[in-house]
Amino acid sequence: MNNLIIEKTHSTPGIVFDTETGVLEIKGESFPENVPKFYGPVIEWIKDFLNSTDKEIVFNFEISYFNSSSSKILMNIFDYLEQQVSEGKNISVIWRCDHENESAVECGYEFKEDLDLLPFVVEIY
Amino acid sequence: MDLSLYSLYNDFKSKKILLCYSGPISQTSVEGVGNTLRRNLEIEEAGNITSISVFSIFVEQVQNIINYSAESINHEEDMDNELRVGVIVIGKEENDNYFVYCGNKVYNRDIARITSLIKSIQQLNKDELKALYKERRRIEPDPGSKGAGLGLIEMGRRAAKPLGYSFEEIDGDYSFFSLKVEVGR
């Protein structure tokens, strides 16, 4: 399966999903006009990859700002990952944020509060 | 002299308006004007939370105009590239709080739905808004709604006081909707 690499833009994060290392990175800001259009192919790739492997997978999220519709799709992704964990997959999420970006820190904890099984670490640097 | 914007400019200045955008709006406006707004807030040393709140409310308001304004400009053969029309004003209150103000035409038939949504948000405290936000982001959006329906709740969470709004009737089909959100410094 091919790696997924998407360059970041003013309103969409950069994506580097590496099948070899199992490290999937999403970094930048997220406020696209059409959220499903951007995230649809990303979610399809994640589903295909998880169906093809049992290796350990680490998601690195470093999103300094996201709009409300991105928030909804991120929650959808975390819910899907949680379901995969309940089916035995080895997945964890690291939510990285700058200590000066209190809003991103709070958002990380708000996602964490809504998840039970998915290992979700808020890493403040 | 007729050809002068000086009185308009002075009017904006005296009302402590930092920025005003009126007319057709696209995602490019969100990114470009948004970037200028953030630099402006940085120069004013508005503080991280204040800056991100003002920027965030700006994004939600402009994207609401793009998704919901009842006034659009398009070619009949190219409906996908239509532009929606609205107005955005960002400025400061006497007490130095920021305000983010937007306006656009809406259909009269939508007034009751928008009003009840805003009224329900006005009544909630920050913890209740957080709970509503988390509940709504897990619910599938209404059919026909391009946004997630979360934008107004997001604005309510970041606001220093309850959302202000009004509707002014234009004719039998349309009214003008104004929404004002104040952000503490």
Side-chain angles (χ1 to χ4, degrees), chain A residues 11 67 72 79 110 113, chain B residues 31 63 134 138-139 157:
Chain A
S11 60
N67 68 350
K72 193 177 186 88
D79 281 339
E110 282 182 15
E113 283 165 15
Chain B
E31 294 169 15
Q63 291 185 332
K134 289 169 80 173
R138 272 207 162 120
I139 298 172
R157 292 188 69 187

Side-chain angles (χ1 to χ4, degrees), chain B residues 60-74:
Chain B
E60 299 298 336
Q61 288 192 349
V62 179
Q63 291 185 332
N64 273 350
I65 292 172
I66 293 171
N67 288 326
Y68 302 114
S69 171
E71 184 178 359
S72 62
I73 301 171
N74 58 46

Side-chain angles (χ1 to χ4, degrees), chain B residues 141-160:
Chain B
D142 301 332
S145 167
K146 282 201 247 171
L150 282 175
L152 282 168
I153 306 170
E154 168 83 32
M155 291 185 229
R157 292 188 69 187
R158 294 187 181 272

Side-chain angles (χ1 to χ4, degrees), chain B residues 4 27 31 39 41-42 45 48 59 82 93 108 113-114 125-126 128 135 138 141 150 152 172 174 184:
Chain B
S4 172
Q27 175 68 14
E31 294 169 15
R39 284 174 52 195
L41 293 166
E42 208 176 284
E45 297 182 337
N48 286 332
V59 171
E82 67 172 12
E93 299 285 355
N108 289 339
R113 186 178 49 82
I114 301 168
N125 65 31
K126 295 291 178 213
E128 291 165 333
E135 181 194 314
R138 272 207 162 120
L150 282 175
L152 282 168
Y174 300 102

Side-chain angles (χ1 to χ4, degrees), chain B residues 21-45:
Chain B
Y21 185 109
S22 178
I25 294 187
S26 69
Q27 175 68 14
T28 322
S29 328
V30 183
E31 294 169 15
V33 179
N35 191 32
T36 308
L37 171 65
R38 282 206 276 200
R39 284 174 52 195
N40 191 118
L41 293 166
E42 208 176 284
I43 292 164
E44 293 204 340
E45 297 182 337

Side-chain angles (χ1 to χ4, degrees), chain B residues 124-141:
Chain B
L124 302 178
N125 65 31
K126 295 291 178 213
D127 287 340
E128 291 165 333
L129 284 169
K130 175 180 168 180
L132 180 65
Y133 183 87
K134 289 169 80 173
E135 181 194 314
R136 291 294 288 272
R137 79 173 165 189
R138 272 207 162 120
I139 298 172
E140 291 303 312

Side-chain angles (χ1 to χ4, degrees), chain A residues 15-114:
Chain A
I15 289 181
V16 181
F17 288 176
D18 189 329
T19 56
E20 201 66 39
T21 60
V23 176
L24 314 185
E25 283 191 343
I26 303 186
K27 194 172 173 178
E29 298 197 324
S30 179
F31 54 106
E33 178 175 13
N34 189 331
V35 166
K37 191 174 159 194
F38 177 77
Y39 282 98
V42 176
I43 292 169
E44 280 311 304
W45 188 98
I46 294 171
K47 287 184 175 172
D48 288 347
F49 180 51
L50 291 182
N51 285 333
S52 73
T53 184
D54 278 322
K55 72 160 85 175
E56 185 188 350
I57 294 163
V58 178
F59 279 87
N60 280 323
F61 280 83
E62 193 174 334
I63 305 185
S64 51
Y65 165 71
F66 54 87
N67 68 350
S68 62
S69 26
S70 298
S71 165
K72 193 177 186 88
I73 209 123
L74 291 173
M75 195 70 236
N76 284 349
I77 293 173
F78 297 141
D79 281 339
Y80 170 74
L81 297 179
E82 177 143 288
Q83 180 212 323
Q84 292 292 302
V85 168
S86 76
E87 289 167 14
K89 297 277 190 186
N90 185 353
I91 304 168
S92 58
V93 172
I94 299 169
W95 180 271
R96 296 193 80 234
C97 35
D98 187 327
H99 69 281
E100 287 189 343
N101 189 346
E102 293 161 64
S103 181
V105 174
E106 195 185 333
C107 290
Y109 286 116
E110 282 182 15
F111 283 122
K112 188 178 169 68
E113 283 165 15
D114 280 0

